[in-house]
């Protein structure tokens, strides 16, 4: 969401006209018009004699957040003063302009919104909802935003949602890049199957290779110095002979390396300008061609603008960008890997349900929402740190929370288990939201990595993650790699590396199939933090499990 100068022009006639309508006023339904999900919102006007300016002033911002969550819309807020709303919206290249009013109707209030198609100057739709009291105005925005999302963007709004058990789901919308919304599971036709009817593949009982259980993790090789602070590493491709392609990432650079035996050799780098901030990197075959794409959650200033890199020849090229979702890969969700996302918020970085994502050839399409409640802790801390695995006969989310405790969540999002040790801290952070005068900055949010789930773990998942020991002022005093296995309702440590004062920030398995004795692990390690007087230095380290 961006803010550009603008001037709201109030037409008193608008309120009277809009009271007649509770659906679109245009003769052609907006969904048929196929409007792009880019809309500018002008300040709402109060047409009442009462002083409700405080309530009216927040309506555009709240409406924007709801449209972002419901429809993945790119919303431009226009403050009062300066250029006309029409001129400001056109200058920002936003095709739709929403102008609203709040009017007094007897003892209640009428909240009206008119949307203009700036390419034609004609009405794209008119919307209305009523509130009994001033306190009821803001809750009624849910009704209004649901109408707008459904009629303009052909997305089923929350107020009109029909339980999937009694009604077929709406077709999964296709979004133009750069916007991305969640995704439905692949279906043989454009009509998505109802969520209730979806049947996951039957689980296949598997075990670690040969029934082996790890007892030690030892370093066996590493890379040369990498002049960056690496916050994680991901295996993109690996074969049975020990050759692999891995990507490590700093704040603005991806470092691709080739693993050959016990050697880690640099391949190429992909960089972005300094206003970018990579929060996470994942690898997944999103288009089913047998080759994994690289998925980067990228924060540009205060806007999530994630992107996808696809291998073309010997190089990786961006095939989608400006994706407005934090991204994460669940390695085992209902029997298969799943890509999920969460939309950016307003005053907090994360907002709304976690949704599945499906690649449609150009971008991502909206899918089912995970049932876990993201309004309660720990998931209220956002998507980073999320993974999943099969526990017995059920699939559960595994979560590295904001305090670096490892948690297993139930179907509602509450913690079934919380670790006593701390894991996954990366020493990276970002700021978001209003400026806090007393602190001289915006609120900070720590970035943490999720566990890696070993292939072949079956009903008792084996996971890999760095363990973190904290010292003075919660600074990292030492780290080590650990392999944890679910046993008796908790994670038990099976093997660990020696503690190091260097900061191990992330790790991943190199095994393409089941993980067994002699299995290889790659880890990212910060050797020296950067400053005005010294360079940033990191390395990639190979470990072997026995």
């Amino acid at each position: 969401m961006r803010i550009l100068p603008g001037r709201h022009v109030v037409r008193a006639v608008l309120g009277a006209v809009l009271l007649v309508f509770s659906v679109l006023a245009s003769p052609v339904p907006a969904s048929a018009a196929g409007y792009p999900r880019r809309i500018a919102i002008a300040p709402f006007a109060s047409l009442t004699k009462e002083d409700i300016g405080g309530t009216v002033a927040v309506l555009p911002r709240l409406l924007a957040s709801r449209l972002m969550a419901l429809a993945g819309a790119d919303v431009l807020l226009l403050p009062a003063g300066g250029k006309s709303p029409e001129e400001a919206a056109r200058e920002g290249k936003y095709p739709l302009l929403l102008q609203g009013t709040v009017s007094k109707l007897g003892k209640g209030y009428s909240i009206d919104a008119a949307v203009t198609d700036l390419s034609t100057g004609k009405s794209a739709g008119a919307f209305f909802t009523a509130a009994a009291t001033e306190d009821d105005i803001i809750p009624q925005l849910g009704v209004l935003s649901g109408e707008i999302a459904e009629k303009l963007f052909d997305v089923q709004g929350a107020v009109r949602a029909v339980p999937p058990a009694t009604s077929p789901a709406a077709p999964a919308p296709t979004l133009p890049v750069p916007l991305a919304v969640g995704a439905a599971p692949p279906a043989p036709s454009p009509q998505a199957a109802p969520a209730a009817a979806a049947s996951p593949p039957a689980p296949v009982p598997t075990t670690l290779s040969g029934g082996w259980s790890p007892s030690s993790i030892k370093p066996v090789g590493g890379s040369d110095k990498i002049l960056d602070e690496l916050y994680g590493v991901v295996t993109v491709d690996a074969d049975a002979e020990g050759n692999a392609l891995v990507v490590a990432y700093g704040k603005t650079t991806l470092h691709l390396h080739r693993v050959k035996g016990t050697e880690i050799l640099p391949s190429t780098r992909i960089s972005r300008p300094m206003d970018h901030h990579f929060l996470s990197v994942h690898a997944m075959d999103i288009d089913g061609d047998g080759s994994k794409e690289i998925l980067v959650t990228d924060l540009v200033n205060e806007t999530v603008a994630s992107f996808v890199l696809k291998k073309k020849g010997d190089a990786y090229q961006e095939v989608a960008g400006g994706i407005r979702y934090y991204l994460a890969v669940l390695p085992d969700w209902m029997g298969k890997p799943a890509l999920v996302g969460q939309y950016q918020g307003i005053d907090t970085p994360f907002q709304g349900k976690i949704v599945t994502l499906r690649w449609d050839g150009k971008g991502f399409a909206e899918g089912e929402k995970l049932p876990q409640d993201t309004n309660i802790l720990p998931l209220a801390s956002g998507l980073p740190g999320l993974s999943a695995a099969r526990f017995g006969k059920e699939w559960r989310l595994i979560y590295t929370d904001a305090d670096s405790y490892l948690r297993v969540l139930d179907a509602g999002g509450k913690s079934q288990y919380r670790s006593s040790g701390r894991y996954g801290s990366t020493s990276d952070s970002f700021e978001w939201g209003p400026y806090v005068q007393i602190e001289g900055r915006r609120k900070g949010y720590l970035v943490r990595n999720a566990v890696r789930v070993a292939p072949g773990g079956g009903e008792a998942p084996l996971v890999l993650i760095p363990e973190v020991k904290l010292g003075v002022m919660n600074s990292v005093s030492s780290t080590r790699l650990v392999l944890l296995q679910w046993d008796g309702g908790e994670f038990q440590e099976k093997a660990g590396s020696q503690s190091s004062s260097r900061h191990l920030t992330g790790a991943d398995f190199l095994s393409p199939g089941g993980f067994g004795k002699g299995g290889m692990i790659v880890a990212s390690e910060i050797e020296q933090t950067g400053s005005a007087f010294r360079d940033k230095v990191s390395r990639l380290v190979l470990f072997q499990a026995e």
Side-chain angles (χ1 to χ4, degrees):
M1 183 175 64
R2 293 184 292 161
I3 297 176
L4 292 178
R7 177 174 57 86
H8 179 63
V9 180
V10 179
R11 294 185 173 93
V13 178
L14 177 63
V17 174
L18 295 179
L19 295 180
V20 183
F21 299 95
S22 60
V23 294
L24 284 175
S26 61
V28 180
S31 59
Y35 291 114
R37 301 183 189 190
R38 291 171 56 81
I39 187 168
I41 301 179
F44 275 53
S46 174
L47 303 182
T48 70
K49 294 181 180 180
E50 302 173 0
D51 183 12
I52 59 170
T55 299
V56 173
V58 302
L59 297 185
R61 191 176 187 89
L62 297 178
L63 182 59
S65 67
R66 284 157 175 76
L67 290 178
M68 291 158 66
L70 282 173
D74 183 358
V75 183
L76 172 70
L77 288 182
L78 304 175
K83 300 175 182 177
S84 70
E86 293 84 354
E87 184 180 357
R90 287 192 180 98
E91 188 176 273
K93 301 186 185 303
Y94 283 75
L96 298 175
L97 172 64
L98 184 149
Q99 296 173 285
T101 61
V102 179
S103 309
K104 184 74 171 179
L105 281 179
K107 295 182 179 180
Y109 296 89
S110 170
I111 305 102
D112 304 273
V115 180
T116 303
D117 181 350
L118 296 178
S119 65
T120 63
K122 297 180 180 180
S123 172
F127 306 87
F128 155 83
T129 188
T133 65
E134 181 182 353
D135 291 339
D136 194 37
I137 291 175
I138 290 177
Q140 286 302 315
L141 281 187
V143 178
L144 198 66
S145 58
E147 288 275 354
I148 295 170
E150 181 177 337
K151 300 300 183 181
L152 285 186
F153 305 132
D154 199 22
V155 174
Q156 189 177 36
V159 295
R160 292 184 173 270
V162 179
T166 60
S167 175
T174 298
L175 300 183
V177 175
L179 293 179
V181 222
S189 70
Q191 182 72 23
S199 56
V204 179
T206 55
T207 59
L208 296 174
S209 181
W212 162 84
S213 180
S215 60
S216 67
I217 308 173
K218 297 179 180 179
V220 293
S223 70
D224 291 334
K225 292 182 179 179
I226 300 171
L227 299 182
D228 199 353
E229 291 182 12
L230 299 181
Y231 299 123
V233 61
V234 179
T235 300
V236 180
D237 190 22
D239 62 27
E241 283 70 46
N243 302 312
L245 174 68
V246 301
V247 56
Y249 59 96
K251 188 167 289 188
T252 61
T253 303
L254 305 178
H255 304 266
L256 278 73
H257 283 68
R258 296 280 179 186
V259 178
K260 296 183 178 181
T262 57
E263 293 184 303
I264 304 179
L265 307 173
S267 176
T268 188
R269 294 190 305 170
I270 300 172
S271 296
R272 293 290 188 267
M274 293 301 295
D275 59 344
H276 289 243
H277 188 163
F278 299 161
L279 300 185
S280 68
V281 177
H282 297 274
M284 181 179 175
D285 180 8
I286 61 174
D287 57 8
D289 67 351
S291 178
K292 290 184 179 179
E293 283 70 45
I294 299 173
L295 313 169
V296 183
T297 295
D298 185 16
L299 192 64
V300 185
N301 296 316
E302 199 175 283
T303 299
V304 178
S306 302
F307 59 90
V308 177
L309 299 173
K310 184 174 180 59
K311 188 175 183 181
K312 295 189 176 182
D314 293 329
Y316 279 85
Q317 299 178 14
E318 183 175 318
V319 294
I323 299 167
R324 299 292 293 276
Y325 268 79
Y326 298 87
L327 303 175
V329 170
L330 305 183
D332 187 359
W333 185 246
M334 303 303 168
K336 59 184 178 181
L339 177 64
V340 298
Q342 186 180 28
Y343 204 76
Q344 69 178 63
I346 304 297
D347 294 332
T348 58
F350 318 100
Q351 180 171 311
K353 286 281 192 177
I354 298 169
V355 295
T356 55
L357 303 168
R358 176 177 56 84
W359 179 251
D360 62 14
K362 295 181 180 179
F364 291 108
E366 187 174 281
E368 64 174 351
K369 296 178 175 66
L370 299 193
Q372 286 77 11
D373 190 347
T374 56
N375 293 317
I376 62 173
L377 291 173
L379 288 179
S381 298
L383 191 68
L386 189 67
S387 187
R390 179 182 168 203
F391 292 78
K393 302 300 181 182
E394 299 179 332
W395 279 267
R396 290 282 180 256
L397 294 181
I398 314 174
Y399 190 65
T400 310
D401 70 17
D403 295 316
S404 298
Y405 293 110
L406 192 60
R407 297 176 182 262
V408 176
L409 309 183
D410 66 16
K414 296 181 180 179
S415 295
Q416 283 187 319
Y417 161 83
R418 194 198 83 160
S419 65
S420 57
R422 302 198 184 201
Y423 305 90
S425 174
T426 66
S427 76
D428 188 23
S429 65
F430 65 98
E431 295 182 359
W432 190 281
Y435 187 80
V436 183
Q437 292 287 347
I438 194 170
E439 296 181 8
R441 62 181 182 88
R442 295 177 295 166
K443 185 177 179 180
Y445 294 84
L446 293 175
V447 181
R448 63 269 185 207
N449 280 326
V451 298
R452 304 293 188 188
V453 179
E459 299 181 359
L462 180 76
V463 301
L464 169 71
I465 195 168
E467 182 187 46
V468 179
K469 297 293 185 182
L470 300 180
V472 180
M473 300 296 289
N474 281 334
S475 61
V476 175
S477 61
S478 66
T479 60
R480 66 189 185 110
L481 281 185
V482 293
L483 285 166
L484 310 173
Q485 190 159 31
W486 188 252
D487 182 18
E490 62 180 342
F491 276 114
Q492 302 278 2
E493 183 176 324
K494 292 295 182 179
S497 66
Q498 290 187 343
S499 294
S500 171
S501 59
R502 295 178 178 177
H503 192 168
L504 287 165
T505 55
D508 202 358
F509 296 101
L510 292 180
S511 304
F515 185 68
K517 184 176 181 180
M520 303 294 285
I521 294 166
V522 62
S524 54
E525 175 184 84
I526 297 176
E527 185 173 311
Q528 177 175 286
T529 56
S531 70
F533 305 101
R534 61 183 187 179
D535 291 331
K536 303 174 183 178
V537 178
S538 297
R539 295 179 190 270
L540 293 178
V541 184
L542 279 179
F543 290 85
Q544 190 169 38
E546 297 292 343

